Amino acid sequence: MKHRNDNLKRVIVDFKKLTPEILALLVERYPDGYDDDDIISFRNQHNDMIEAVEVTTEDTKYLVKVSSKLSVTMENYDVEDYEDFADDDPEAIQPPSMDDEEE
């Protein structure tokens, strides 16, 4: 018997490569944080044990590697911090100008 999720693309995501979109999905799925029951354990192609939490979009199942930094980031998540990223505006990310450093 095939499940709806059987044909989804599967992506393992490290904390360092977490996008604002995936972070938003994590916070939505686990608003009070995740616990041991939410963690999936598996071995990767190098036979290393990986622990991850799962979030699913329409076409992709993301397995986000669990770490203490992930927990802290989810706890401190504020949607307003990421509003500029929603438009994929290249000007939303700018290096600091020399004027900013003088302040």
Side-chain angles (χ1 to χ4, degrees):
M1 176 182 194
K2 283 203 163 207
H3 295 294
R4 177 179 68 87
N5 291 342
D6 287 348
N7 294 325
L8 295 178
K9 179 171 69 169
R10 295 184 178 151
V11 178
I12 299 171
V13 181
D14 190 87
F15 168 79
K16 296 171 198 149
K17 297 186 180 189
L18 198 61
T19 65
E21 294 81 12
I22 297 172
L23 179 57
L25 289 170
L26 280 168
V27 172
E28 182 181 319
R29 170 114 190 242
Y30 307 104
D32 298 320
Y34 54 86
D35 60 29
D36 290 342
D37 293 336
D38 299 315
I39 297 174
I40 301 166
S41 298
F42 60 94
R43 293 198 179 272
N44 66 7
Q45 71 267 22
H46 304 292
N47 208 28
D48 299 323
M49 182 58 77
I50 304 293
E51 292 184 331
V53 290
E54 178 184 304
V55 289
T56 305
T57 63
E58 199 172 289
D59 62 349
T60 306
K61 179 186 290 188
Y62 293 98
L63 297 171
V64 182
K65 291 182 184 179
V66 172
S67 71
S68 58
K69 290 180 181 179
L70 176 61
S71 299
V72 171
T73 301
M74 287 176 64
E75 287 172 13
N76 295 322
Y77 176 78
D78 184 350
V79 70
E80 292 177 9
D81 292 341
Y82 296 96
E83 285 179 346
D84 289 338
F85 293 104
D87 297 329
D88 288 331
D89 180 5
E91 294 181 14
I93 303 173
Q94 294 271 329
S97 69
M98 294 306 249
D99 297 331
D100 291 342
E101 291 178 8
E102 293 175 10
E103 292 178 11

